[in-house]
Amino acid sequence: MSTPSDAQRPPSQNYGAASMEKIVSLCKRRGFIFPSSEIYGGLNGAWDYGPIGVELKRNLKNYWWRVMVHEREDVVGMDGAILTPPEVLTASGHVEGFSDPMIDCRSCKAHLRLDQLIEKKGVKQCPNCGGKDLTEARHFNLMFETHVGAAADESSVAYLRPETAQSIFVQFKNILEVSRKKLPFGIAQIGKAFRNEINPRNFTFRSREFEQMELEYFCRPEQGMELLEYWKEERLKFYENIGIPRSKLHVLTVPDEERAFYSKGTYDIEYEFPFGRQELEGVAYRTDYDLSQHQKASGKSLEYFDEETKQKFIPHVVEPSAGVDRTVLALICEAYAEDEAPDEKGKMETRIVLRFHPRIAPIKCAVFPLLKNKEPLVAKAKEIVDLLRPHMYVFYDESGAIGRRYRRQDEIGTPFGVTVDFESLGEKDPALRDTVTLRDRDSMKQERIAIKDLPSILISRIR
């Protein structure tokens, strides 16, 4: 059954990057992301994901895991502890070198990283107030320190891990032995990391608590540069496959003076956010630095024995490391669009729509009975929900005019809507019994589909 809201819409308007104000407002209004502990004034640099946001985040992580682990024979997974002993982070260089130069503005009391200052006529100024009364730079350690056990002294110090990579390196030998993999192979991990950022900003982009999707891909030394190029291309394909076009992605070759001293090559994959081009992921050739450091500090061998050449050596590693929260934000920014569509009376109105790729969309399909006070329609709609629920996340809604229900789902990015109408009951045409209208979010076009075919049709479109 066609409704006024499904009439052909005019050409889209206001496509492209939305303002961050609109995106932040939408995220809170529709249950994507909330400020953490907001009723107590919030905690700067920490965010909570609501019912819709957690589904989007989970879909992203599940797809990354599927592509990086399940669909490959050369990668296995792990999940390391967040609490990290200082010996691990001392060996990796974090305890000594994981800090930013920090400056305070005496005028507006802002805490700033040194590289955030602006310069006018050769004078450093505060970017917030333009003040020139600045403190001397001092080093600020970015790691969160805590204590393990009853005694709060130096012997009980531990850290919340600043990255997920080190647990992979520390467990390299154990995983090598139990997985029986041969080089090249990778170890993947998704998990929380913590950095005491001086100035969290740009919504969830730079936070103090965040998640990483990280792969350490171990190889022979002569394979490093070739695999760096391979993983750069693989990661670009990944972003395209979740709905971020190549035209919005930029690969920055990190210059020698800016990359880590142990790296032989690093690429930053950047996205054009509304607040500017920023890094989504780093792909780095870390050589054998990490394993060598941990072997030296622990006194335990982390060498690989090549059965063919009978050689022992410390493998090199290529690391694609992506931010979950940054990618979720990029997906929302990329999906956000405004166009015009007719309301129930045929009057054109602005429609906010999130054009998520179906495989990433939080809710895959919404099911509506045309009228909530007609029991046969409601019963049939709930049967369809039960039919689809084992295969995908489905939302049932019977409240309000059908056009309003479509708009609510458009605003959270649901790609498909199923409406049960009187034709579904065969009241006007027995040939249409047990069929429904399947509505597409982007084109707003509807097609008549047999209920029994719905699972296979939707699965093929959201895969």
Side-chain angles (χ1 to χ4, degrees):
M1 178 179 180
S2 180
T3 66
S5 60
D6 294 314
Q8 182 65 40
R9 75 172 191 263
S12 299
Q13 304 291 324
N14 300 327
Y15 271 48
S19 69
M20 284 308 299
E21 289 79 8
K22 288 183 176 181
I23 287 171
V24 172
S25 173
L26 174 65
C27 283
K28 184 175 182 182
R29 184 174 72 252
R30 288 304 187 195
F32 283 91
I33 302 168
F34 306 120
S36 183
S37 305
E38 186 177 20
I39 63 171
Y40 290 101
L43 178 62
N44 192 21
W47 303 90
D48 296 335
Y49 286 76
I52 304 301
V54 74
E55 294 297 329
L56 176 62
K57 193 175 189 183
R58 185 175 295 276
N59 289 344
L60 169 64
K61 293 189 289 185
N62 287 348
Y63 185 66
W64 186 91
W65 198 261
R66 178 180 128 194
V67 170
M68 300 293 274
V69 182
H70 290 173
E71 294 182 357
R72 300 184 66 100
E73 294 184 359
D74 58 347
V75 176
V76 296
M78 73 162 288
D79 186 9
I82 287 172
L83 288 173
T84 307
E87 293 83 359
V88 172
L89 297 172
T90 298
S92 66
H94 285 84
V95 170
E96 182 179 349
F98 202 64
S99 62
D100 275 342
M102 177 181 175
I103 280 180
D104 295 336
C105 174
R106 293 190 178 95
S107 300
C108 68
K109 311 304 182 186
H111 304 299
L112 304 163
R113 292 206 322 265
L114 181 61
D115 61 4
Q116 289 181 288
L117 298 180
I118 58 175
E119 187 171 328
K120 291 184 178 179
K121 298 181 179 179
V123 178
K124 299 284 188 180
Q125 297 182 13
C126 172
N128 298 329
C129 69
K132 302 173 187 177
D133 188 7
L134 307 170
T135 64
E136 291 294 320
R138 64 189 185 280
H139 282 286
F140 176 79
N141 195 293
L142 297 175
M143 291 195 297
F144 284 101
E145 181 180 307
T146 187
H147 293 271
V148 176
D153 54 29
E154 288 188 7
S155 66
S156 65
V157 168
Y159 295 95
L160 303 185
R161 64 182 181 189
E163 63 179 27
T164 57
Q166 296 308 316
S167 58
I168 296 178
F169 295 128
V170 170
Q171 292 293 349
F172 167 74
K173 204 61 179 284
N174 283 334
I175 293 173
L176 175 64
E177 290 174 358
V178 299
S179 65
R180 294 163 42 215
K181 294 293 183 184
K182 295 182 179 180
L183 293 181
F185 80 97
I187 302 173
Q189 182 173 194
I190 298 176
K192 291 266 189 176
F194 305 82
R195 296 182 185 178
N196 194 12
E197 294 285 351
I198 295 170
N199 188 20
R201 61 191 184 279
N202 292 329
F203 197 22
T204 58
F205 179 81
R206 188 175 294 279
S207 304
R208 292 187 168 114
E209 178 179 339
F210 55 94
E211 269 189 286
Q212 291 180 299
M213 303 179 291
E214 205 155 58
L215 172 70
E216 304 302 332
Y217 196 76
F218 299 95
C219 62
R220 292 177 175 83
E222 64 271 18
Q223 296 174 302
M225 293 305 293
E226 178 183 348
L227 287 169
L228 177 66
E229 298 299 320
Y230 168 80
W231 279 112
K232 177 192 71 174
E233 290 303 317
E234 286 296 298
R235 300 306 301 143
L236 288 168
K237 291 177 191 175
F238 174 85
Y239 290 109
E240 289 185 288
N241 288 338
I242 59 174
I244 300 178
R246 184 72 72 103
S247 61
K248 292 286 191 72
L249 297 170
H250 302 273
V251 177
L252 171 68
T253 302
V254 179
D256 295 349
E257 63 272 14
E258 293 183 20
R259 68 173 186 253
F261 69 89
Y262 51 78
S263 171
K264 281 193 175 180
T266 300
Y267 293 116
D268 285 349
I269 298 176
E270 300 176 324
Y271 171 73
E272 293 179 11
F273 287 96
F275 46 81
R277 187 184 297 182
Q278 297 287 344
E279 178 189 348
L280 281 181
E281 174 164 352
V283 184
Y285 173 26
R286 297 175 69 128
T287 64
D288 63 352
Y289 172 77
D290 299 278
L291 289 180
S292 295
Q293 288 293 104
H294 288 301
Q295 176 172 284
K296 180 180 177 182
S298 68
K300 304 293 175 60
S301 172
L302 295 178
E303 291 180 313
Y304 174 84
F305 177 69
D306 191 321
E307 294 180 356
E308 293 181 5
T309 64
K310 307 302 180 185
Q311 291 180 315
K312 276 188 174 183
F313 61 92
I314 295 178
H316 284 218
V317 66
V318 175
E319 177 195 76
S321 177
V324 176
D325 306 88
R326 292 181 174 191
T327 305
V328 166
L329 183 57
L331 288 168
I332 295 171
C333 292
E334 186 60 35
Y336 186 97
E338 295 178 11
D339 60 17
E340 289 191 332
D343 63 15
E344 286 77 13
K345 298 180 180 179
K347 183 180 178 181
M348 301 307 292
E349 62 178 4
T350 298
R351 177 178 80 134
I352 296 175
V353 56
L354 293 180
R355 302 186 187 280
F356 292 125
H357 191 291
R359 66 166 53 101
I360 294 297
I363 297 170
K364 308 303 184 187
C365 181
V367 179
F368 317 114
L370 186 61
L371 299 172
K372 69 176 181 179
N373 58 356
K374 296 293 183 182
E375 182 56 33
L377 296 177
V378 171
K380 184 73 70 176
K382 290 185 176 178
E383 286 178 13
I384 293 171
V385 170
D386 292 338
L387 177 68
L388 296 177
R389 188 163 277 157
H391 306 287
M392 65 195 72
Y393 187 27
V394 183
F395 185 82
Y396 173 81
D397 189 2
E398 62 180 30
S399 175
I402 192 71
R404 292 293 99 193
R405 285 181 265 172
Y406 286 153
R407 292 295 176 273
R408 289 197 291 264
Q409 294 302 312
D410 291 342
E411 206 168 30
I412 60 174
T414 305
F416 304 107
V418 169
T419 301
V420 178
D421 52 28
F422 290 105
E423 282 88 340
S424 306
L425 305 177
E427 292 188 1
K428 296 182 179 179
D429 183 352
L432 294 178
R433 181 184 295 276
D434 289 330
T435 65
V436 291
T437 59
L438 178 63
R439 173 190 182 264
D440 180 82
R441 173 198 65 206
D442 295 337
S443 67
M444 296 172 63
K445 292 181 179 179
Q446 300 183 30
E447 54 186 315
R448 203 81 202 175
I449 298 291
I451 291 175
K452 64 180 177 61
D453 295 332
L454 271 175
S456 60
I457 289 173
L458 289 173
I459 289 169
S460 69
R461 295 182 185 180
I462 66 177
R463 178 69 176 170

